[in-house]
Amino acid sequence: MKLKILVTAGDGIGPEVTNEAVAVLQEIATLGGHEFTFTEKRIGGIAITTDGAPLPQDTLDAALVSDAVLLGAVGGNEFNSLAPDKRPEAGLLAIRAALGGFANLRPAFAFKELAVNSPLRPEIIEGADILFVRELLGGAYFGKPREWNRQTGVAFNTMIYTRDEVARVARIAFKLAAARRKKVTSVDKANVLEVSQLWRAVVIEVAKEFPEVTLEHQYVDAMAMHLMNRPRDFDVVLTENLFGDILSDESGVITGSLGMLPSATIGGKVNLYEPIHGSAPDIAGKGLANPMGAILTAALILRHSAGLEREAEAIEQAARKVLEQGFRTADLVRGNTAGLTVLSTAEMGAKVRATVKEVLARA
Ligand code: IPM
Ligand code: MN
């Protein structure tokens, strides 16, 4: 199997965590005789500083000829006063748009060992396993017109969807649900917004193609509460862009740390893979960052871009085993460290790699 991976590590902890993800992929390539090649390019704040733009042409060109893009994180406090279209985040939005992936898959699952880190009671989160399917190229993020008029003191964005944009992401959600627990929860604000009424109508249409999958609708405000009260009731959660952004962060609470969660964006020319966590500038460069989100993102590359399901599962199993054995990065430790071993970013990466090797040897 040959795979050309573009690595855009970005800012803050991005380089540290993507290093570990790449190392796991290299290990998988060596073990299985695969040919994975890695190219590195700049994106985000580092690109603004070095190249004067958050998504240099050179990075975009390299992304478009790769089989998969692995992104670390973008953003930094020094860019906070810039306009939205000049910020590091603009580079991320631009590469998302250019690659064309419209379905952002964001799993939120509970790790038994991390239940102590969640403010939710263990019996609420135990066994929770949600897959968010977040529409990634529409809604208020990209809708026009958009403006902040400083003269008039008026600002607006446009939350806009076409029928086709809703249908294509809904279809992906139903397909994924059909292979899971066969339930789709579609999130909207159809009691207030026309754009949500369209969303709901189209989702109902698409659902007819998947009679084996149950569809329910929730308003986004109620959903925010249900996710904390009864996360186990949800399987695939289908949302528009902004609602999905908010609810997927909220669901980090179920896992105990956002640092554990991966994501994959599919449906476009080139799939884009990024951990859900941000650039965490406060801990950057200190070896404190949790590489698990990035490593589990590497597993998604194997699953969705390489067809290496066995290897993807080996990484996921290894991540669980390492936690079972009491290994943690600092973000996963709350106070009591009895029975736990706190590892640096690189040590955690090495531990997962060694465990992946064991898991694959046994299988
Ligand atoms: C995310 C992030 C991004 C988003 C930012 C960094 C633009 O919050 O991936 O969830 O809002 O989509
Ligand atoms: Mn977000």
Side-chain angles (χ1 to χ4, degrees):
M1 165 87 223
K2 283 189 183 182
L3 205 64
K4 263 178 21 197
I5 302 170
L6 177 71
V7 181
T8 49
D11 306 320
I13 60 170
E16 297 161 69
V17 297
T18 44
N19 261 344
E20 299 313 317
V22 167
V24 171
L25 290 170
Q26 271 161 342
E27 184 77 53
I28 297 278
T30 308
L31 292 171
H34 304 296
E35 202 179 305
F36 296 168
T37 54
F38 300 90
T39 310
E40 289 180 27
K41 295 287 176 192
R42 286 187 287 270
I43 196 167
I46 176 83
I48 295 176
T49 311
T50 317
D51 312 84
L55 178 62
Q57 187 63 41
D58 170 48
T59 302
L60 182 55
D61 292 345
L64 287 168
V65 298
S66 64
D67 298 313
V69 176
L70 171 62
L71 191 135
V74 297
N77 298 329
E78 63 272 43
F79 307 104
N80 282 346
S81 59
L82 296 178
D85 64 333
K86 302 276 182 300
R87 294 169 61 103
E89 289 84 347
L92 175 54
L93 296 177
I95 200 170
R96 284 177 182 170
L99 297 182
F102 53 83
N104 179 220
L105 315 185
R106 299 193 158 188
F109 35 73
F111 288 92
K112 207 158 128 256
E113 291 73 25
L114 301 181
V116 293
N117 292 341
S118 177
L120 298 176
R121 288 197 304 278
E123 67 269 26
I124 301 254
I125 53 178
E126 174 133 27
D129 177 9
I130 303 174
L131 179 61
F132 283 90
V133 178
R134 169 188 174 195
E135 200 293 325
L136 205 63
L137 293 185
Y141 273 69
F142 292 95
K144 288 190 179 124
R146 55 188 296 159
E147 179 180 296
W148 177 7
N149 187 321
R150 283 163 173 83
Q151 261 81 54
T152 57
V154 176
F156 52 84
N157 290 87
T158 304
M159 190 186 271
I160 182 168
Y161 274 102
T162 65
R163 196 184 310 139
D164 289 352
E165 284 171 336
V166 180
R168 64 184 186 175
V169 72
R171 219 160 262 131
I172 288 194
F174 280 98
K175 261 189 209 143
L176 290 165
R180 291 172 46 107
R181 302 196 308 280
K182 301 189 170 41
K183 181 177 171 189
V184 169
T185 303
S186 173
V187 177
D188 62 40
K189 189 70 187 172
N191 50 346
V192 177
L193 303 175
E194 283 78 4
V195 64
S196 281
Q197 291 182 330
L198 167 84
W199 179 277
R200 189 176 285 215
V202 175
V203 171
I204 289 171
E205 274 308 305
V206 171
K208 292 179 185 155
E209 298 165 25
F210 301 86
E212 73 277 30
V213 177
T214 311
L215 168 65
E216 71 167 5
H217 305 277
Q218 293 287 351
Y219 296 133
V220 61
D221 51 349
M223 187 64 184
M225 184 177 63
H226 297 324
L227 279 169
M228 298 295 98
N229 275 330
R230 47 182 188 90
R232 277 185 306 210
D233 287 356
F234 302 103
D235 177 17
V236 171
V237 176
L238 168 65
T239 81
E240 68 90 45
N241 204 346
L242 182 58
F243 298 164
D245 180 46
I246 297 166
L247 294 181
S248 62
D249 262 38
E250 185 195 14
S251 301
V253 172
I254 296 165
T255 303
S257 170
L258 264 191
M260 294 298 298
L261 295 177
S263 92
T265 302
I266 64 172
K269 288 184 267 219
V270 180
N271 291 349
L272 174 63
Y273 298 87
E274 29 175 337
I276 291 190
H277 63 70
S279 59
D282 50 321
I283 59 163
K286 297 182 181 160
L288 292 173
N290 183 354
M292 288 283 208
I295 290 172
L296 291 169
T297 298
L300 295 185
I301 297 182
L302 298 176
R303 173 168 298 135
H304 295 286
S305 287
L308 296 175
E309 178 61 27
R310 190 175 77 96
E311 289 76 359
E313 279 171 28
I315 295 177
E316 289 163 352
Q317 256 190 51
R320 285 190 185 270
K321 272 187 197 294
V322 163
L323 292 178
E324 272 163 33
Q325 291 162 1
F327 297 106
R328 301 284 187 274
T329 42
D331 60 308
L332 302 178
V333 180
R334 300 280 150 94
N336 189 0
T337 56
L340 300 179
T341 312
V342 181
L343 302 181
S344 70
T345 309
E347 288 167 340
M348 182 55 104
K351 189 57 84 182
V352 175
R353 284 199 303 281
T355 312
V356 166
K357 226 169 153 172
E358 280 169 33
V359 169
L360 282 173
R362 226 172 307 119

